[in-house]
Amino acid sequence: MDSYDYTEIEKRWKPVWRDMGLYRTGTDPGREPFYCLDFFPYPSGAGLSVGHCRNYVPTDVISRKKRMDGYNVLHPMGWDAFGQPAEEYAIKTGTHPAEVTTENTATYRRQMELIEASYDWDREVNSSDPDYYRWTQFFFLLLYDRGLAYQADNYQMWCPECKIVLSNEEAAGGRCWRCDGEVTRKKLRQWYFRITEYADRLLRDLDGLDWPEGIKAMQRNWIGRSEGAEVDFTVQTTDGPVVIPVYTTRLDTIYGATFCVLAPEHPDVERITTADMRAEVEQYVREARAKSDLERMEASEREKTGVFTGAYAENPYNGEKVPVYVADYVLAGYGTAAIMAVPAHDERDHSFARRHGLPIVEVIAPGGVPQGVEEHATVADGSLLNSGPFDGMESGEARRKMAEYAEEKGFGRADVRFRIRDWLVSRQRYWGAPIPIVHCERCGTVPDRDLPVTLPEVESYEPDDTGRSPLARAGDWVRTVCPECGGPARRDTSTMAGFACSSWYFLRFASPHEKDRPFDPEAVRYWLPVDLYVGGAEHAVMHLIYARFWTKVMYDAGMVDFSEPFSTLKNQGMLLGEDHVKMSKSRGNVVTPDEMVDRYGADALRLYILFMGPFEAELEWSEEGIAGTARFVNRLWNLFCETGEVEPGDVNEGPERELRYRLAHTVKKVTGDVDSFQFNTAVAAMMELTNYMSANRETASAFGPTWREAVRKVLVMLAPMAPFVSEELWHRLGFADGERDTVHLQPWPEYDEEDLQRDTVEIVVQVKGKIRDRIDVPADADRATMEELALRSGRIREILGGKGPSRVIVVPGRLVNIIP
RNA sequence: GCCGGGAUGGUGGAACUGGCAGACACAACGGACUUAAAAUCCGUUGCCCCCAGCGGGGCGUGAGGGUUCGAGUCCCUCUCCCGGCACCA
């Protein structure tokens, strides 16, 4: 028997399917749409590894099955093409980043075609194409017009390695998301999107999404809503009073506030510092600024440093004056950058107080019992003591009452705060979408609506560590006229972060060739929101939060009729190398689809990706594993070639019935498994059925027409997973209705409930929960019958030794458990 | 510290709403084919014990406890692993 020649057969079908336009998608109002989308990939120079296939193969299987289910399926692919690696390569070699990008996207596409991902390539988009980024710029202006884009001077996250500012999301954990280097701060004027204005909605709307719990939890945590209060402490200086609002979630502990702390970056530090403390405070602030966030955190975990400002602030509740410190354990970016410190009931304040010899006053007694606070802070809620008129109240009630009181007196107010910061979106880099803004001396900041604002040609793409953009060196491009007054003006020289481009691409796919608008609203209404969105978990608080934000802005602007872009989200698990570590070039453990397709064929690779384990699980690559699915393809090929066209002979009823049962069972199992992303067990079920058929191949004709029906249904179910071998056999075994027919447009197989019924079933007989016998009983036997049959069993009678049972538990169709 | 997810044979993993633990594969071992090897095909394979054999028994899902006729699955306590966040007042 010939073995399956995948090279030959893959070569045969690719052009046929291409000519048929098998994967082309039209807007068809008569058919139910299904939009299946992969995360927008950045086409890196390294190309795809088999790890990427864990994303692209499952979505392809779903897309193909949905087509067979009768859906009109949108399954597009495009390139998140702006970005630093291409730019860095350009800096090193002098080639234009566009050239590198073109090469890389070609490689990606070639590899995706290698595994026959069924993308509609007519809809391919590229975010670095002016026809695309003009609309990214358009959305920038939409946000600008809605007051959601603004410039501000701040201490930004700065990656000295990449020479680039970072958004909060990109600098999570004090490390740069790209190079993992430590992040420092730099004071620069930058563009922001006011995502904080959407914090509440971004949080609330998570509840309705069919997303992994982990991702939702990460977003909730990142948005970080907390309920508290703002209270004004007042410092008397020689220049008059300075009001310092502090933010607290523990207003109930305010009678225990024994000092206040300002972040080193707090704007009032200078004003309140007394002359004799000035030198020391200034030095501390300088040193704090020079440290990276990571250094600050690590240092202060050991010891909480800080210096006294010489100032005292009045607690408005009790009129007490408490010393004011500057310390870097208070963050500049959260709350009011100033806190009231309650060492008795906050660990951090406690360790600061201990180090600096400050008083500790206990004001909360959990369960009415003071816990003692010399050694450790008591963080639990409880009833108040040493708290004037609020004594005896429980924490929760006290927080409400005390906030009301503050509001009445005008020195405070209940307040909800979020941890999420506004999105820093400008980058001083070349390879990105230019921010379409002109700066005019007369008119100020003016939007440039003559889009696209195309990237100029420049001599060098090098960024510098002053935070100046390479675009600033394109003098002729920078010098322009003001769109408002016609006077001389200068272009903004920043580009947008790549995450801007990927915040709307899913809309572009609905009508990718639209000339005069970002998308056709009709097409968007038909296709969106995305039904199934699949990608890695690493974008939990970056792309996935930004895209939700932009969608909500568009919803508010009346451009789309949904406010969440991705109904269902799934994350594929990571794929490790055979050496148990993440695949990487430097490790030298990267396995490419190219070599695997070459050695085992595309079908074997696809099947192995599906079969190796659960979709979400982190798994290790194994070449022995792919050899196994290649063997399966081969066995199936031989079995079907040999028996697929067998003429039905005299039917042997028992086996025929058994095959009908197994076939129905397999169809049911595979259907359910594929729909619920359990591809590994779907493949296993088909292996099981074909193993059974293989064991009975000699007597195939005795199964009557059922045999060929099984062959046909297996081929159809296999088609989304292994498109080549199933198509070849479909034609070779004469299932095809003419040359132009294809297995890929067959309706998904169904099964007859009746075939799942059996006459007898084997049940387990237990004595005291231990299995002692197995007996066959009629499938529809009732409890009494089952009990009777079980008690009749010789083995059971032997064990019972003539005594009758004291109790019998019967589970119909499953087991009888006898308690003597 | 907080949040999310895990722990099942030599390995990857399977097990519907509590009901036959180990499907399917890999590896290993034995056999067939072969001058030989590879490929292919057939068989064995959780651990331990009894039996010449047919067969039979015990143990077993990270640890300990609990609920139940019955627990991988439910509850409590704990250990370890992976991912994320982390001085957020």
Side-chain angles (χ1 to χ4, degrees), chain A residues 235-303:
Chain A
V235 175
Q236 298 298 338
T237 72
T238 47
D239 296 334
V242 175
V243 174
I244 311 270
V246 305
Y247 179 72
T248 179
T249 54
R250 289 302 301 275
L251 189 55
D252 53 316
T253 65
I254 198 163
Y255 281 81
T258 54
F259 58 102
C260 284
V261 185
L262 307 190
E265 293 85 353
H266 194 287
D268 291 326
V269 170
E270 225 187 296
R271 279 173 70 196
I272 63 162
T273 301
T274 57
D276 52 324
M277 297 308 294
R278 181 130 315 190
E280 207 179 324
V281 168
E282 275 175 5
Q283 193 191 337
Y284 183 81
V285 169
R286 233 185 349 261
E287 281 171 6
R289 245 170 222 168
K291 280 192 245 171
S292 73
D293 281 16
L294 221 59
E295 285 170 332
R296 270 165 78 155
M297 205 184 86
E298 278 163 8
S300 59
E301 250 170 33
R302 288 194 298 271
E303 291 290 357

Side-chain angles (χ1 to χ4, degrees), chain A residues 330-476:
Chain A
V330 172
L331 303 177
Y334 185 74
T336 57
I339 62 158
M340 62 170 203
V342 183
H345 304 293
D346 183 281
E347 296 287 4
R348 299 152 299 183
D349 299 344
H350 192 272
S351 72
F352 190 88
R354 291 283 297 247
R355 185 182 155 96
H356 297 268
L358 292 156
I360 301 172
V361 177
E362 188 169 22
V363 294
I364 301 288
V369 184
Q371 307 289 301
V373 290
E374 262 323 292
E375 288 307 311
H376 288 287
T378 302
V379 282
D381 280 358
S383 53
L384 275 65
L385 59 138
N386 301 325
S387 296
F390 302 99
D391 272 356
M393 262 183 215
E394 286 300 311
S395 289
E397 190 198 356
R399 285 194 282 266
R400 277 190 304 277
K401 290 273 161 64
M402 292 168 93
E404 276 167 29
Y405 178 73
E407 214 144 335
E408 244 167 62
K409 299 283 178 186
F411 61 71
R413 55 223 68 91
D415 196 10
V416 171
R417 293 272 174 169
F418 294 92
R419 277 160 95 150
I420 191 170
R421 305 267 71 86
D422 275 341
W423 170 11
L424 197 175
V425 71
S426 48
R427 296 290 180 274
Q428 285 61 53
R429 283 283 182 151
Y430 176 76
W431 193 229
I435 288 183
I437 290 286
V438 163
H439 300 281
C440 169
E441 278 189 22
R442 208 176 318 162
C443 315
T445 303
V446 180
D448 184 352
R449 296 184 197 280
D450 183 17
L451 302 179
V453 176
T454 48
L455 275 172
E457 294 302 321
V458 294
E459 300 267 303
S460 117
Y461 309 106
E462 194 99 35
D464 58 29
D465 35 21
T466 62
R468 242 166 62 102
S469 165
L471 292 185
R473 294 193 288 264
D476 293 345

Side-chain angles (χ1 to χ4, degrees), chain A residues 85-101 103 430-431 457-462:
Chain A
E87 187 172 291
E88 257 133 47
Y89 186 80
I91 291 164
K92 243 180 272 162
T93 63
T95 33
H96 197 282
E99 264 176 60
V100 189
T101 304
E103 267 172 50
Y430 176 76
W431 193 229
E457 294 302 321
V458 294
E459 300 267 303
S460 117
Y461 309 106
E462 194 99 35

